[in-house]
Amino acid sequence: MKRSLLTALMLFLSIVSFAQIAADKIIGVWESLDSDPKLKFEFYKSGEKYIGKLLYASNMFEADGKTPKKDDKNPNKSLRGRSRYGITNITNLSYEEGEYTGGNLYNPSEGRNYRVKAKLISENELDFRGYIGFSLLGKTMKFKRVR
């Protein structure tokens, strides 16, 4: 009986560990393939959620091509003076049944928030969908892993 219980416990822990490893595959740097503007995000884990930090957007610099634009359309007036570079603009992604769901995306170009979900197509390919309200009313972008 003890042996059966121990075997069942080990099997359960193996399944939980495998699910966690699968969930963490989004962690890393991803670059858009088909979006305008071109984007680059770094995904990392915070607690049980996955977060994305904006590393690059082709429209994030002033005319000099070097100075990052300010977050001047942010609905929170106290954040309008911050740089767009490095802001955490993807939050609250949860891994459930092979997909990352329940996330939020802040678009600094518009000062708007969107719902977001993502799915790994392969080890190095990610489909990322931003939408308002229903997922059918949105846009899917393809990303490739950079590292």
Side-chain angles (χ1 to χ4, degrees):
M1 178 69 174
K2 284 184 180 181
R3 188 176 184 118
S4 297
L5 186 58
L6 182 59
T7 302
L9 180 60
M10 294 299 287
L11 180 61
F12 174 75
L13 291 175
S14 296
I15 291 169
V16 170
S17 295
F18 178 76
Q20 193 58 48
I21 291 168
D24 288 350
K25 287 184 179 183
I26 196 171
I27 294 172
V29 177
W30 295 85
E31 182 177 68
S32 65
L33 295 174
D34 60 352
S35 70
D36 184 27
K38 290 296 252 178
L39 302 167
K40 188 183 287 186
F41 291 102
E42 178 179 12
F43 284 97
Y44 58 95
K45 190 172 185 179
S46 179
E48 294 300 312
K49 304 287 184 177
Y50 295 90
I51 310 296
K53 179 170 62 170
L54 182 64
L55 300 179
Y56 173 81
S58 58
N59 65 351
M60 76 185 295
F61 296 100
E62 297 292 350
D64 67 6
K66 297 177 186 176
T67 307
K69 291 179 181 177
K70 301 293 182 195
D71 189 10
D72 58 351
K73 294 183 181 175
N74 196 307
N76 181 339
K77 291 180 183 180
S78 68
L79 296 176
R80 290 182 180 169
R82 72 179 178 172
S83 169
R84 290 185 188 180
Y85 175 78
I87 64 172
T88 299
N89 64 335
I90 300 170
T91 57
N92 295 322
L93 279 173
S94 298
Y95 185 77
E96 298 173 15
E97 299 178 16
E99 285 193 331
Y100 300 88
T101 61
N104 298 302
L105 168 70
Y106 169 66
N107 181 340
S109 295
E110 301 171 345
R112 294 189 62 169
N113 290 292
Y114 297 90
R115 302 290 295 153
V116 69
K117 66 180 187 175
K119 184 172 185 169
L120 285 168
I121 304 305
S122 71
E123 185 81 18
N124 295 311
E125 187 180 356
L126 176 72
D127 278 357
F128 187 86
R129 185 160 184 81
Y131 58 96
I132 297 175
F134 301 101
S135 178
L136 293 172
L137 305 173
K139 178 181 178 181
T140 299
M141 296 178 282
K142 297 202 176 289
F143 284 78
K144 70 174 180 177
R145 183 182 302 274
V146 177
R147 59 181 157 117

